[in-house]
Amino acid sequence: DTEVTQTPKHLVMGMTNKKSLKCEQHMGHRAMYWYKQKAKKPPELMFVYSYEKLSINESVPSRFSPECPNSSLLNLHLHALQPEDSALYLCASSRGQLNQPQHFGDGTRLSIL
Amino acid sequence: DAKTTQPNSMESNEEEPVHLPCNHSTISGTDYIHWYRQLPSQGPEYVIHGLTSNVNNRMASLAIAEDRKSSTLILHRATLRDAAVYYCILQSIIQGAQKLVFGQGTRLTINP
């Protein structure tokens, strides 16, 4: 069982919809991450939050909007997505200190119609 | 970002050692080398990481070349459960946060 919980596991949405992906951890970790993984490709970093502040944005389009309401929760708000945004979205967390392992959730599989 | 290069696939037999190579010739002096693995329908799982010295843990060993331009992940006695995609990753620190850059990964097949 993973210690990072992502909901929903699957999401199908139209290009005009607004939806949110949710990630939760109760390990006391202070860094949280969003990754995007296309089929048969490695994960690619999107955003990093460190102590609830956005530290890294890998030039992600504004149709993806991250939010970190507290140290246990990470959201990814989606609006006006394109078909090429269909992918597995992975959340991870790690302790606040640097060079610590990341713990990944099993992801949300997103399909854009 | 510095990149890693791995073989696309490797095959080994159960209960034998496995050596998974990784090249990272453009690594910077402060980059850590991480290895994660990913089973089907799961998120990546941490395996091991190091900076300069060889590292051992309960899952594997990591051998780092003296010039740090390559490394090898060693599974001492492979089991069927070790079949996965293994990613060699360089970790840098950007604006005080950890950034992992995944390689393309090696798909490891274990034969019974």
Side-chain angles (χ1 to χ4, degrees):
Chain A
D1 289 340
T2 183
E3 296 170 331
V4 175
T5 304
Q6 292 189 241
T7 54
K9 293 192 185 308
H10 301 274
L11 179 62
V12 180
M13 57 186 287
M15 289 189 284
T16 58
N17 292 156
K18 287 185 181 181
K19 295 284 185 184
S20 297
L21 308 185
K22 181 179 173 182
C23 175
E24 195 167 3
Q25 56 87 15
H26 295 288
M27 295 178 282
H29 289 174
R30 302 308 299 271
M32 296 187 78
Y33 311 79
W34 279 117
Y35 291 83
K36 174 182 178 179
Q37 186 175 24
K38 301 283 278 183
K40 300 190 184 303
K41 295 291 186 183
E44 294 180 340
L45 183 66
M46 300 174 71
F47 302 104
V48 180
Y49 274 84
S50 180
Y51 292 86
E52 293 122 69
K53 291 192 188 320
L54 183 63
S55 297
I56 298 177
N57 176 344
E58 288 286 280
S59 302
V60 179
S62 60
R63 58 185 184 269
F64 295 91
S65 176
E67 178 195 20
C68 189
N70 58 60
S71 59
S72 299
L73 280 176
L74 185 66
N75 298 319
L76 186 63
H77 303 297
L78 314 173
H79 173 55
L81 294 194
Q82 304 297 308
E84 61 265 28
D85 297 322
S86 297
L88 181 68
Y89 288 84
L90 293 159
C91 173
S93 70
S94 67
R95 293 182 184 172
Q97 301 91 341
L98 300 173
N99 304 319
Q100 294 296 309
Q102 293 185 16
H103 296 245
F104 282 81
D106 288 334
T108 294
R109 188 161 300 281
L110 177 66
S111 297
I112 307 300
L113 300 179
Chain B
D1 295 329
K3 295 190 186 303
T4 63
T5 304
Q6 303 175 248
N8 288 334
S9 62
M10 290 184 64
E11 198 169 330
S12 186
N13 297 320
E14 201 174 8
E15 299 188 3
E16 290 184 357
V18 180
H19 290 237
L20 296 164
C22 180
N23 288 322
H24 29 78
S25 57
T26 59
I27 190 171
S28 75
T30 55
D31 287 348
Y32 274 72
I33 301 157
H34 286 240
W35 284 81
Y36 283 69
R37 69 182 186 182
Q38 189 173 22
L39 279 68
S41 301
Q42 293 186 20
E45 175 190 26
Y46 168 78
V47 177
I48 201 166
H49 77 286
L51 182 62
T52 56
S53 304
N54 294 345
V55 185
N56 299 297
N57 67 21
R58 63 174 180 81
M59 289 181 71
S61 295
L62 176 60
I64 301 173
E66 197 168 334
D67 63 6
R68 297 203 339 120
K69 293 184 185 299
S70 66
S71 61
T72 302
L73 178 70
I74 303 164
L75 307 179
H76 294 286
R77 206 158 165 259
T79 71
L80 296 177
R81 291 182 299 174
D82 291 323
V85 177
Y86 285 78
Y87 291 106
C88 175
I89 298 162
L90 296 183
Q91 178 230 280
S92 55
I93 304 301
I94 307 293
Q95 301 186 63
Q98 183 188 97
K99 177 177 178 178
L100 298 184
V101 179
F102 282 69
Q104 291 301 305
T106 296
R107 183 172 298 278
L108 177 63
T109 301
I110 303 297
N111 300 315

